[in-house]
Amino acid sequence: MKASSTVTMKDPMTLIHFIAALATALFACATCGAADDGATRAAHAGQPLIGQPAPAAVLRTLDGGTIDLATRYGRRPVYLKFWATWCAPCLQQMPGFERIHRQYGKRIDVIAVNAGFSDTEADVRAYRARHGLTMPIALDDGSLGRRLNLRVTPQHVLIGADGRIAYVGHLDDAALHAALERAAQGRAAQGRVAAAPAQPVALAPQAQAARVFRVGDKVAGLDLPAGAGGKPRALVFFSPWCETYLRETRAATARACRRVREDATRLLKRGGVDWLAVAAPLWTSTAELAAYAKAHPGTPRVALDRDGAAFAAFGIRAIPSVVLVDADGRVARVLGPEERGLDAALRALRGQ
């Protein structure tokens, strides 16, 4: 008879090797799933953009200069890679991104665009130094990302020499490299004839600078679920993955998200204030938001800011943040991620 291949405690080294191999396989499988999910989201976000004129925008660079995208369109291709310092797949792709810059930098304008979401300029500077990045790094205030349907990080946006969006993706894969090569050689995407240079235009209404409500301003025109009439309102700006995903890459932010969630859950029970938790569209779907609400019973009701307009309306670029609106509909206070004292702020809001 053949010897059994069953692993038992009698051969501990085999067991250790088996467990290690299984863990590696499971991790690879999970990573594959996340990558496939990101690729699907990016493809869906990019579908209405392909072939459209790219948006004009002036980006501020990490070194204090500016990049006027409108002046670059029609001269040569532009490759925008949106990323964040807390993003694990961004880190995995950075060595390849640096190679792309060195390979194509003389034929394609390669620009690393920090998404500006829960990142600081200091974070970006430290990241650049730590990883030896040499490509231009621009800092988005969220407006360009909204116009390019930013839904994942990293998100690749390749604009052809004709000024039109040629490719949107998430992975550093054969499809991205084929798109880069086509752009570098001046060829249009398959099935589309290269067009004359397009005048850069806005892709969406967000092209105009969004009004930002400051303390004392009357809030109006937001596409959010209505509040209870005559009551003050507390808007919690967050992401449902903050407490879990950022636990490893941005622990302080993860802790702040948990603290604000727990404070909101406790304070909600006191009544007198209408609560709404507003989720950013980055890496978040309606189904995921519903699953979050189910996993955290007793928390404020949730709403997805589908195009990021509510975040933009209050100038929110970091999570968690809380906007307090008085009973007359005016902004009373904005609390950032590290600000505490939500109890006292609510008492002041209620006039207690």
Side-chain angles (χ1 to χ4, degrees):
M1 295 177 62
K2 292 184 179 181
S4 171
S5 59
T6 302
V7 177
T8 70
M9 289 304 292
K10 293 181 180 179
D11 35 11
M13 290 307 297
T14 302
L15 179 60
I16 290 171
H17 292 154
F18 172 77
I19 292 173
L22 179 60
T24 301
L26 289 173
F27 176 79
C29 181
T31 303
C32 260
D36 289 345
D37 183 51
T40 300
R41 293 177 198 238
H44 186 265
Q47 188 174 16
L49 304 180
I50 300 300
Q52 296 295 316
V58 178
L59 300 172
R60 183 171 62 89
T61 69
L62 192 58
D63 297 318
T66 58
I67 296 175
D68 187 346
L69 293 179
T71 65
R72 306 207 175 195
Y73 302 150
R75 293 172 57 245
R76 62 179 184 173
V78 176
Y79 169 32
L80 305 173
K81 178 164 183 167
F82 288 86
W83 63 286
T85 65
W86 43 260
C87 159
C90 297
L91 176 60
Q92 293 166 357
Q93 290 187 21
M94 273 302 170
F97 187 36
E98 181 65 26
R99 287 193 295 271
I100 287 172
H101 173 238
R102 293 179 181 179
Q103 179 181 354
Y104 290 104
K106 293 183 178 180
R107 294 180 288 167
I108 298 174
D109 284 336
V110 178
I111 304 169
V113 183
N114 181 268
F117 187 79
S118 277
D119 257 338
T120 66
E121 191 168 319
D123 293 332
V124 179
R125 287 186 183 282
Y127 193 96
R128 178 176 68 175
R130 186 163 59 250
H131 299 290
L133 304 179
T134 62
M135 76 286 291
I137 297 179
L139 307 167
D140 188 22
D141 62 2
S143 58
L144 182 60
R146 287 194 301 278
R147 291 159 69 186
L148 290 171
N149 292 349
L150 182 63
R151 294 295 179 268
V152 295
T153 49
Q155 185 161 309
H156 315 285
V157 180
L158 180 60
I159 298 143
D162 61 357
R164 296 180 183 275
I165 297 171
Y167 179 82
V168 177
H170 169 65
L171 302 177
D172 181 359
D173 59 3
L176 171 64
H177 288 267
L180 288 167
E181 191 59 31
R182 284 195 303 268
Q185 294 181 13
R187 293 186 285 115
Q190 186 176 2
R192 183 167 66 82
V193 178
Q199 183 67 27
V201 296
L203 293 174
Q206 295 91 342
Q208 298 298 321
R211 178 186 175 183
V212 177
F213 297 113
R214 306 296 184 188
V215 172
D217 288 344
K218 183 89 171 178
V219 178
L222 289 183
D223 186 18
L224 289 175
K231 276 188 177 183
R233 197 170 206 198
L235 302 174
V236 180
F237 289 86
F238 81 115
S239 289
W241 40 264
C242 175
E243 293 181 46
T244 52
Y245 183 82
L246 294 184
R247 189 179 299 153
E248 298 297 327
T249 59
R250 192 63 62 81
T253 302
R255 289 193 297 271
C257 284
R258 178 174 179 175
R259 169 176 52 80
V260 170
R261 173 178 58 81
E262 291 176 345
D263 284 351
T265 302
R266 173 175 53 83
L267 294 168
L268 173 64
K269 297 175 183 176
R270 296 183 182 176
V273 174
D274 182 74
W275 287 82
L276 181 67
V278 184
L282 190 66
W283 284 110
T284 300
S285 67
T286 303
E288 287 161 337
L289 195 56
Y292 170 88
K294 185 176 181 180
H296 299 286
T299 55
R301 59 183 175 140
V302 296
L304 179 61
D305 187 15
R306 295 180 183 276
D307 58 2
F311 271 73
F314 294 102
I316 304 298
R317 298 305 302 155
I319 54 172
S321 292
V322 181
V323 175
L324 300 180
V325 180
D326 66 22
D328 294 324
R330 296 185 181 278
V331 179
R333 176 120 181 238
V334 179
L335 292 88
E338 299 306 319
E339 292 187 75
R340 297 174 184 264
L342 186 55
D343 282 313
L346 282 174
R347 285 196 297 272
L349 184 67
R350 292 193 297 257
Q352 297 177 347

